[in-house]
C-alpha cells in the first residue's frame, strides 16, 4: 500500500511523521500482499461539510471522514480516502491544547483505522479503536 497526500488548503503538514505513522499502522494492520494506495486529502470546512452532508446526511463540517473505495483509478487501485478539515483541525488543536501537527496525526490515525475496519459505534468497538490509536500514536506524541 502507498500513501498519496493532497492539499486543497495551504497549510504546512507533518509529511514525514504522517508517512512514518502510515507505515507503522499498515505494517501491523494490513494484508502484506495489499496493493494500491490510500489518498489523504487536507481540505476546508466547506468541502468536508459538503461530503458530510452527501454521505452521512449531516450538514455540518467535521474533522475527518474516511471512504473505502476499492476501485481502480488510472490503473492504480485506490483502497480508500481520508479527508481532514484543516479549519476544524486548527480549532481542535487550540481547544485540546495540543499542536496542529499532533492533531493532524491523531485525525489521520483515526481515519486510517476506519479504512482498516475499526469503528466506534458500540462501547466495545470504541475501546478497541481508542486503544489502537493510542498504541500507534504513542511514539509520535507527548501525552
Amino acid at each position: 500500500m502507498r500513501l498519496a497526500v493532497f492539499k486543497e488548503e495551504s497549510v504546512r503538514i507533518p509529511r514525514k511523521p504522517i508517512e512514518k505513522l502510515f507505515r507503522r499502522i499498515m505494517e501491523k494492520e494490513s494484508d502484506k500482499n495489499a496493493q494500491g494506495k490510500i489518498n489523504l486529502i487536507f481540505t476546508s470546512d466547506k468541502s468536508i461539510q459538503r461530503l458530510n452532508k452527501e454521505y452521512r446526511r449531516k450538514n455540518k463540517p467535521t474533522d475527518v471522514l474516511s471512504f473505502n473505495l476499492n476501485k481502480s483509478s488510472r490503473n492504480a487501485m485506490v483502497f480508500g480516502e481520508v479527508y481532514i478539515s484543516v479549519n476544524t483541525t486548527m480549532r481542535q488543536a487550540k481547544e485540546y491544547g495540543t499542536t496542529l501537527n499532533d492533531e493532524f496525526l491523531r485525525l489521520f490515525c483515526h481515519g486510517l483505522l476506519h479504512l482498516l475496519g475499526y469503528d466506534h459505534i458500540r462501547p466495545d468497538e470504541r475501546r478497541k479503536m481508542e486503544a489502537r490509536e493510542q498504541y500507534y500514536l504513542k511514539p509520535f506524541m507527548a501525552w
Side-chain angles (χ1 to χ4, degrees), residues 125-143:
E125 293 174 331
R126 179 180 303 276
R127 284 189 296 276
K128 185 176 181 181
M129 187 168 181
E130 287 174 354
R132 297 314 289 165
E133 286 176 2
Q134 289 179 6
Y135 171 78
Y136 289 120
L137 290 170
K138 188 174 183 178
F140 297 92
M141 298 181 166
W143 285 340

Side-chain angles (χ1 to χ4, degrees), residues 14 29 35-36 39 51-52 54 84 98 114 129 134:
E29 300 286 343
Q35 298 280 326
N39 294 328
L51 291 169
N52 205 19
E54 182 176 344
I84 295 176
T98 189
H114 272 305
M129 187 168 181
Q134 289 179 6

Side-chain angles (χ1 to χ4, degrees), residues 99-116:
T99 68
L100 183 59
N101 285 353
D102 282 356
E103 189 63 4
F104 278 140
L105 287 169
R106 187 185 71 77
L107 293 174
F108 175 58
C109 181
H110 186 88
L112 184 55
L113 288 176
H114 272 305
L115 288 181
L116 296 170

